[in-house]
Amino acid sequence: MTVAVIGGGAMGEAVIAGLVRSGREPADVIVVEQRPERAAELAQRYGVATASEVGAVRAAEAVLLVVKPADLPALAEQLGGQLRDGAVVVSLAAGIPTTAIEQRLPAGTPVVRVMPNTPALIGEGMAALSRGAAVTDDQVAAAMDLLSACGQVVEVPEKQQDAVTALSGSGPAYLFYVADALIEAGVVLGLPRATARQLAVQTLYGAAAMLRETDEHPTLLREQVTSPAGTTAAALRVLDAEAVRAAFVSALAAAAERSAELAAAMAR
């Protein structure tokens, strides 16, 4: 399958790197990037073909749109007469409903909507995929195969994309926020900043790895760390008193609400 990636920014490069890393022939990846210096950089780094015009997508069976949400409606209009028959369009632009893309493309064009996140840059992304009206099971499988080059992929109904955006799309920022708080707390308690950073980062990494590798419920893993009347219990008592769990629920609800507002605005 020949793949066209429109957009050579950070997320576009993450997709390109993932495709090449997973064994796809660089010659089968076409990058459409209007900045000549950026196109040359990607071609040199990954060996992919590059082009400056969207007409290059005529050679592709899958077209990945990795552009800013505000740029997507105009891009979809340009793509209208350029797609080959049966090509699937995969949008990684946050907040754009499949219907908003479909109405700007020829009738019956298969469109897939994806919410990625930034750990895709290191091959540890989490993406949620939703199918448009004309997408077949085989096309969904092909899109999931492409996206799995950057991490894990799950299919969800499109009505759940706002919740996905709030949880995994914005989720890395929450964990960076927690990491920053842990580091600052360590410094306040007398640790050198470099040591506090190392302790916090490896603790977060190790805890996440335990969640994934053991497949245990987080409550059980938390209880294994919490001795009766011990240090962890004392800390958790403060977190509960400060309603940290409720704050996370409220924060994700606010993010989901904002995602819905942006999607509604883009759909108009």
Side-chain angles (χ1 to χ4, degrees):
M1 175 185 287
T2 301
V3 181
V5 179
I6 302 182
M11 187 59 71
E13 182 173 4
V15 172
I16 295 162
L19 291 173
V20 174
R21 184 172 55 240
S22 67
R24 191 170 299 273
E25 288 293 330
D28 292 334
V29 180
I30 303 167
V31 180
V32 179
E33 171 57 54
Q34 294 183 343
R35 297 168 295 169
E37 68 285 355
R38 179 59 172 165
E41 181 183 0
L42 293 171
Q44 181 178 20
R45 186 173 297 164
Y46 301 105
V48 296
T50 62
S52 60
E53 301 294 334
V54 296
V57 305
R58 294 189 189 98
E61 289 100 343
V63 180
L64 278 62
L65 311 182
V66 197
V67 298
K68 296 177 181 178
D71 296 335
L72 187 56
L75 173 60
E77 297 281 0
Q78 294 178 49
L79 280 176
Q82 310 296 339
L83 298 170
R84 66 186 294 174
D85 290 343
V88 60
V89 174
V90 181
S91 169
L92 278 72
I96 308 292
T98 54
T99 52
I101 304 171
E102 289 166 344
Q103 67 188 14
R104 292 172 169 83
L105 295 173
T109 300
V111 176
V112 172
R113 174 183 174 183
V114 178
M115 182 68 237
N117 66 10
T118 56
L121 295 169
I122 58 169
E124 291 289 351
M126 183 68 243
L129 172 155
S130 298
R131 64 179 74 195
V135 180
T136 66
D137 289 342
D138 286 344
Q139 289 167 332
V140 168
M144 294 187 77
D145 181 61
L146 289 173
L147 295 164
S148 66
C150 296
Q152 295 189 26
V153 191
V154 64
E155 183 180 1
V156 300
E158 189 164 14
K159 65 182 180 181
Q160 294 179 0
Q161 280 286 1
D162 293 328
V164 168
T165 300
L167 179 53
S168 62
S170 299
Y174 313 147
L175 294 183
F176 298 147
Y177 183 95
V178 170
D180 185 47
L182 290 174
I183 293 167
E184 290 303 316
V187 171
V188 169
L189 293 173
L191 292 172
R193 184 170 295 276
T195 302
R197 186 185 191 283
Q198 182 180 2
L199 291 169
V201 171
Q202 182 58 32
T203 298
L204 287 169
Y205 183 88
M210 283 190 70
L211 277 169
R212 183 161 70 178
E213 297 303 323
T214 66
D215 203 30
E216 295 283 6
H217 193 281
T219 297
L220 178 60
L221 294 176
R222 174 173 56 79
E223 289 174 347
Q224 291 173 358
V225 184
T226 311
S227 301
T231 58
T232 306
L236 291 174
R237 185 171 64 250
V238 174
L239 292 177
D240 286 341
E242 296 292 337
V244 171
R245 184 187 297 265
F248 269 103
V249 173
S250 297
L252 267 68
E257 181 179 357
R258 182 56 180 156
S259 175
E261 291 172 354
L262 293 172
M266 288 295 180
R268 289 198 290 268

